[in-house]
Amino acid sequence: MSTASRDTAEDSARPGERAGRPRTGRLSLSPAARPYVPPLVLYGVTKLVGLTIFACLLEYAGDYRKKEPRFGGGAHWWDVLQTWDGWWYLQVAEKGYDPRPLQPLAPGGLFTVQQNSVAFFPLYPGMVRGVSEVTGLGLYGSAILVSVLASFVAAAGIYAVVSTLAGTRAGTIAAGLWAVAPGAGVEWAVYSESLFVAIAAWACWCVMTKRWLAAGLLAFFAGLNRPTSAALIGAVGLAALVTLLRPDSRREQGVLGPVYAMVAAPLGLLTYVAWVGLSMGDLTAYFTLQREGWAHYFDGGAYTLDVLRNVAVGHNDYLFAFSVPDLLGVQLVIALPFLIALMLRRKPPLVLVAYTLASVLTVLGTQQMFGNTGRYLLPAFPLLLAPAAALGRLKWPTLTVFFTTAAVASGWYAHYVIFELGIP
């Protein structure tokens, strides 16, 4: 038998051999899971580099040791990851809610009502409590575990969406870009962003692939995770409505799935906000608490414009002024029109356009910590579509240099800046 014949015979035998007698000593993944390995490896390695740089900067500066454990301090560098909002989430996970009526504070201060944990939605702390009960880990360890695992699910969802539109190479790069995005330091901290993006990315993918039941259910859970889920809920509902209004898509996909998505999507958000209102004796209690207890409310962009004017002339005469985070936030806001234009140029599905534009409008139109603009825009992952596609033209040696540099830099701008030079 010739060499070519032997090779052909061996190749034809191997599939049957693998099917009948799986070879040991080698990790076997299903064909459906294999495409996700490169993006998840890129995401994980990039995040580890950024977190390592963050830890080195914390230890070098040492400022965290002088701060209160609740406000960016702690005995160890990793304690910083459970401060600020993380403290509130751990309180909810440990003690639950105490939705008493709003407590007025003395007049003259920035806040006019006492802060209450009901401002923090229940899905993330509920998962933290559940993981702690099942695994025996403490609440902090469980919170980090939930965030890290959710971040990988989010990276996989971003890959699924972007690869569907621009190919697997762009999808892999998009997952890596999300790891180094401004504000990405909260992805592996006691914050709910990773869980929300995981839900949002896969909900958008379900709409794109016409899985309406899953899309509606995911949007429902998103509503139990963050108030900004309104952008996702609206996008899913709009895509379902357009599907119903088009005769061709209505005949192809039916009516029940889109109708279910439209009805189920807002129920989580509405249920929680209504529960807070009824429990606190005021149906608008949640919004009052956000406005008067945290000074966060929709103002049509007045606060954003005020920050842009002040930073442009080197002043800090505005609320929540933090020079370094705010300067980075201004640069990101300046880049947004360009990123949006590039995204629209690729003609993505309606659900992605609506979700992204609504997310950006919510961030720029709300008074909140401007230095956290990068963190607030983390859910707007479709903005990564065009940059990922453009970077996809580069060879991997060049991309390796890019991601190595970005990962190291992200330890500062995406981690240290928001946790130590501002308030995440």
Side-chain angles (χ1 to χ4, degrees):
M1 181 184 294
S2 67
T3 303
S5 301
R6 288 197 302 270
D7 291 343
T8 303
E10 289 174 0
D11 289 342
S12 63
R14 281 181 190 128
E17 175 186 320
R18 286 194 295 268
R21 291 183 299 149
R23 286 183 285 179
T24 60
R26 179 181 297 179
L27 180 63
S28 178
L29 293 175
S30 69
R34 286 173 193 156
Y36 292 92
V37 173
L40 294 185
V41 169
L42 176 61
Y43 174 80
V45 171
T46 305
K47 285 299 300 178
L48 279 174
V49 172
L51 186 65
T52 301
I53 298 300
F54 177 44
C56 293
L57 291 173
L58 286 173
E59 292 295 342
Y60 172 74
D63 296 336
Y64 74 92
R65 299 188 186 93
K66 307 169 188 175
K67 298 180 180 180
E68 292 186 35
R70 180 177 168 183
F71 303 116
H76 310 283
W77 71 263
W78 55 82
D79 293 330
V80 175
L81 300 174
Q82 62 177 324
T83 59
W84 301 111
D85 285 6
W87 182 87
W88 284 101
Y89 281 122
L90 292 177
Q91 290 293 303
V92 175
E94 179 183 3
K95 303 174 183 178
Y97 292 112
D98 182 17
R100 63 183 65 184
L102 294 171
Q103 305 294 312
L105 298 175
L110 173 60
F111 306 122
T112 57
V113 300
Q114 185 174 339
Q115 295 176 340
N116 190 293
S117 60
V118 295
F120 296 84
F121 277 47
L123 183 62
Y124 176 69
M127 291 183 67
V128 170
R129 179 61 179 264
V131 170
S132 180
E133 294 287 344
V134 171
T135 64
L137 289 173
L139 290 176
Y140 174 43
S142 298
I144 293 296
L145 180 61
V146 170
S147 292
V148 171
L149 292 179
S151 75
F152 279 96
V153 176
I158 292 171
Y159 166 81
V161 170
V162 175
S163 64
T164 299
L165 301 174
T168 57
R169 189 182 183 86
T172 299
I173 293 171
L177 289 177
W178 193 65
V180 298
V186 298
E187 292 172 10
W188 286 8
V190 186
Y191 277 70
S192 63
E193 270 76 7
S194 288
L195 180 58
F196 178 73
V197 176
I199 296 172
W202 284 107
C204 290
W205 182 81
C206 286
V207 172
M208 291 167 56
T209 55
K210 303 175 177 55
R211 293 170 167 84
W212 291 108
L213 297 183
L217 184 61
L218 287 170
F220 167 83
F221 282 116
L224 296 174
N225 189 58
R226 294 185 64 81
T228 51
S229 60
L232 176 67
I233 292 167
V236 171
L238 178 61
L241 178 61
V242 170
T243 298
L244 292 174
L245 292 177
R246 292 174 175 171
D248 292 343
S249 59
R250 187 170 62 245
R251 284 193 296 269
E252 177 189 352
Q253 302 175 45
V255 173
L256 292 181
V259 169
Y260 167 83
M262 292 175 61
V263 173
L267 292 182
L269 177 62
L270 294 177
T271 299
Y272 182 70
V273 171
W275 175 80
V276 171
L278 293 172
S279 300
M280 302 184 81
D282 179 1
L283 289 179
T284 63
Y286 179 82
F287 305 100
T288 303
L289 180 62
Q290 285 283 13
R291 182 185 184 101
E292 301 183 19
W294 268 271
H296 287 188
Y297 60 92
F298 190 81
D299 64 356
Y303 174 71
T304 299
L305 181 60
D306 188 32
V307 175
L308 294 176
R309 285 192 304 238
N310 273 272
V311 173
V313 296
H315 294 174
N316 60 356
D317 188 22
Y318 57 92
L319 192 64
F320 305 131
F322 297 94
S323 58
V324 176
D326 292 348
L327 182 58
L328 294 178
V330 168
Q331 294 172 339
L332 184 56
V333 169
I334 292 173
L336 276 177
F338 185 58
L339 291 173
I340 292 172
L342 288 177
M343 179 194 71
L344 295 178
R345 187 171 179 268
R346 298 194 65 88
K347 299 180 180 179
L350 174 62
V351 65
L352 296 183
V353 174
Y355 169 63
T356 304
L357 295 182
S359 298
V360 171
L361 178 64
T362 300
V363 172
L364 299 186
T366 301
Q367 175 179 290
Q368 49 199 354
M369 298 281 185
F370 183 82
N372 288 339
T373 299
R375 173 197 155 198
Y376 300 142
L377 286 173
L378 273 178
F381 68 90
L383 292 174
L384 301 175
L385 171 60
L391 287 171
R393 302 187 185 101
L394 302 177
K395 296 185 181 298
W396 276 113
T398 305
L399 288 171
T400 300
V401 174
F402 168 79
F403 276 109
T404 301
T405 305
V408 171
S410 73
W412 177 73
Y413 70 76
H415 294 74
Y416 189 84
V417 167
I418 63 172
F419 274 99
E420 288 296 288
L421 302 184
I423 299 177

